[in-house]
Amino acid sequence: ATTAIYSFWQYDLCDVFIELVKPVMSSSDEALKKKTRDTLWACLEVGLRLLHPFMPFLTEELWQRLPKDAAYAKNYPSITISPYPACTEEFVDPTLEKNMTYAGVITNRIRSLRSTYGLVSQKQQPEVYLVCSDEAMKKVDGVAEYIASLSLSSKVHCVTSASGIPEGCGVAPVDDAVTVYMVLTGMVDPEGEIKRLSKKLKETQNQKANLEKRMAMPNYAKTPEQFKEEDKSRLAKFDTEMANINQAIDGFKKMASAPPKKKEEAGEPPKKEQEEPTAEAQPRGGSSGFLEPGEKIVKKGDVKKKSTGFFSFSSYARVLVLTDKPRLFYMDGTEMKGEFVGVLSCTKKNDSSFIIKSEGKERIIETAEANAWVSSINSTMNL
């Protein structure tokens, strides 16, 4: 009983329901939001009554904090005298339960694929295609929106053929009926993925060869039929996996060989590329790299975020960039690691640090060149 109740709270309510209602609660549909809140209240209230015999004091405290209808609160002033929940058959939908369970399996596979390709940021939400058999399509098509929310995918498409799927996808089979294709264009290094998939393809080929070698041995004929069928099934899975890997490699090869699209072609105005520091733009007179008036590169340094929320700059690796918007941010190569939007002021704190105030932020920057930084940033940003 405790395992079932724990599973309800942890896996059904927290992991699934609360994640699924987030898009609803951020929408403008007030009627739907009210229904969602009512459903959440019912889940919490019933869940606490389910848990009460095992955790009486905690559940009483939490139950008392729930808002209740006046009549309900009058009839049941304490959770100890409220009726224990009973199953209501009209609310049971075995088909939907199976479909949601299957959606959870697919979601876990998509999450695993995200981890494989290093998509750890919630802002990285690729499109996903599910190639389904006719039978699987009946289960999956109605819950595709839920799978998208739970797997941090921008969109989940359910299709019966891989023919129309874009190039440059990560591929992973869920089972014999469903295969996941994740569109990774612009999110991963195609050359690196080709190497990784080629290694995986070789491993799969070796596994298949070892199984075929064992099946070709003279004494294999004595193997029980049950195990022979399992071996045949494994061979078929190896063939499917190798086909998927080869397809993914072909897609990444096309992605790697394709010329980069110009933003003007996509209807976006061309943006001025970030200037690289040149010999003329380097600090003069042996300075530590602070911004001179009119220059963009402020300081080279390794940015370390402390537990206090401060940032300190030491040697090499990263670059603090001041644009003419004005915006102040620091980078690791071409990847932006942090930003000060709408800088309001830059003031000296002491000889070894200065303070940047921006919209919603205040940061202390530690550097031996505090005076130079404050002067350069203020003059360039007209603060």
Side-chain angles (χ1 to χ4, degrees):
T2 53
T3 301
I5 297 172
Y6 176 88
S7 179
F8 164 75
W9 277 96
Q10 176 70 27
Y11 303 116
D12 295 335
L13 182 59
C14 297
D15 279 2
V16 177
F17 180 77
I18 290 179
E19 290 300 318
L20 290 180
V21 302
K22 287 179 180 178
V24 176
M25 298 309 294
S26 61
S27 71
S28 58
D29 191 335
E30 294 300 326
L32 185 57
K33 287 162 74 172
K34 183 181 184 306
K35 291 179 181 178
T36 303
R37 284 193 295 267
D38 291 344
T39 304
L40 177 59
W41 181 90
C43 291
L44 294 174
E45 199 274 337
V46 172
L48 288 173
R49 284 192 282 140
L50 281 170
L51 190 58
H52 179 65
F54 308 98
M55 303 179 70
F57 301 106
L58 178 62
T59 51
E60 176 72 46
E61 178 69 23
L62 295 174
W63 190 83
Q64 291 293 341
R65 293 170 183 261
L66 282 177
K68 303 178 188 68
D69 177 79
Y72 185 83
K74 182 178 179 180
N75 292 333
Y76 305 107
S78 171
I79 194 174
T80 57
I81 60 174
S82 62
Y84 197 74
C87 178
T88 305
E89 292 297 333
E90 63 180 296
F91 295 149
V92 178
D93 189 338
T95 301
L96 182 58
E97 287 184 10
K98 289 181 180 178
N99 292 350
M100 285 303 297
T101 300
Y102 195 44
V105 174
I106 296 172
T107 298
N108 289 338
R109 196 70 185 93
I110 296 174
R111 289 174 175 174
S112 176
L113 199 57
R114 285 178 61 90
S115 178
T116 298
Y117 289 103
L119 305 184
V120 296
S121 171
Q122 293 190 2
K123 294 181 180 180
Q124 296 173 300
Q125 298 193 5
E127 280 191 84
V128 170
Y129 288 80
L130 301 178
V131 179
C132 310
S133 67
D134 293 337
E135 189 63 30
M137 180 67 79
K138 298 176 184 177
K139 301 179 185 177
V140 177
D141 195 34
V143 294
E145 185 178 352
Y146 302 150
I147 295 173
S149 295
L150 295 172
S151 63
L152 293 178
S153 303
S154 60
K155 183 76 174 178
V156 171
H157 308 270
C158 298
V159 296
T160 55
S161 171
S163 57
I165 295 177
E167 302 290 350
C169 288
V171 185
V174 178
D175 51 27
D176 294 337
V178 177
T179 301
V180 175
Y181 287 76
M182 181 180 291
V183 182
L184 297 169
T185 304
M187 295 188 181
V188 298
D189 171 27
E191 296 292 346
E193 292 308 316
I194 291 171
K195 292 179 181 178
R196 187 184 67 81
L197 289 171
S198 297
K199 181 179 178 181
K200 185 176 180 182
L201 178 62
K202 187 174 181 180
E203 291 173 356
T204 306
Q205 289 171 337
N206 290 338
Q207 290 175 347
K208 181 185 176 183
N210 290 336
L211 179 57
E212 289 176 333
K213 183 177 179 180
R214 183 167 62 81
M215 293 174 68
M217 296 177 67
N219 59 353
Y220 185 78
K222 301 177 183 179
T223 304
E225 289 300 321
Q226 174 188 351
F227 298 113
K228 287 182 179 179
E229 291 300 321
E230 290 179 1
D231 288 340
K232 289 180 182 178
S233 178
R234 288 180 62 197
L235 279 179
K237 287 182 178 179
F238 285 141
D239 289 335
T240 301
E241 186 175 356
M242 288 189 295
N244 290 336
I245 293 173
N246 280 319
Q247 183 179 356
I249 290 175
D250 291 340
F252 284 120
K253 285 181 177 178
K254 292 179 181 178
M255 187 194 302
S257 61
K261 290 184 178 180
K262 295 182 179 179
K263 292 189 176 181
E264 300 94 291
E265 296 176 2
E268 297 182 17
K271 294 184 180 179
K272 185 178 179 181
E273 293 184 2
Q274 178 181 314
E275 295 180 8
E276 294 293 332
T278 62
E280 291 77 12
Q282 295 302 314
R284 274 80 110 182
S287 71
S288 61
F290 57 86
L291 180 71
E292 297 290 346
E295 292 180 350
K296 289 193 174 183
I297 302 303
V298 180
K299 174 164 175 65
K300 294 181 179 179
D302 183 24
V303 181
K304 296 180 180 178
K305 187 171 184 179
K306 299 183 178 181
S307 59
T308 56
F310 296 169
F311 292 89
S312 65
F313 289 76
S314 57
S315 59
Y316 313 116
R318 300 191 186 184
V319 178
L320 187 64
V321 180
L322 183 62
T323 70
D324 6 43
K325 297 241 179 182
R327 294 165 66 200
L328 188 66
F329 59 94
Y330 59 91
M331 303 181 71
D332 183 358
T334 58
E335 181 181 359
M336 190 168 71
K337 291 294 186 180
E339 180 176 1
F340 302 93
V341 181
V343 177
L344 303 175
S345 67
C346 178
T347 56
K348 176 183 172 183
K349 184 172 185 287
N350 51 47
D351 289 339
S352 61
S353 65
F354 64 95
I355 302 172
I356 293 180
K357 290 185 179 180
S358 59
E359 297 173 1
K361 287 184 181 179
E362 180 175 325
R363 291 288 184 265
I364 295 179
I365 309 297
E366 297 177 349
T367 171
E369 300 285 348
N371 285 326
W373 280 65
V374 171
S375 173
S376 298
I377 291 176
N378 283 330
S379 62
T380 305
M381 302 186 77
N382 296 319
L383 296 176

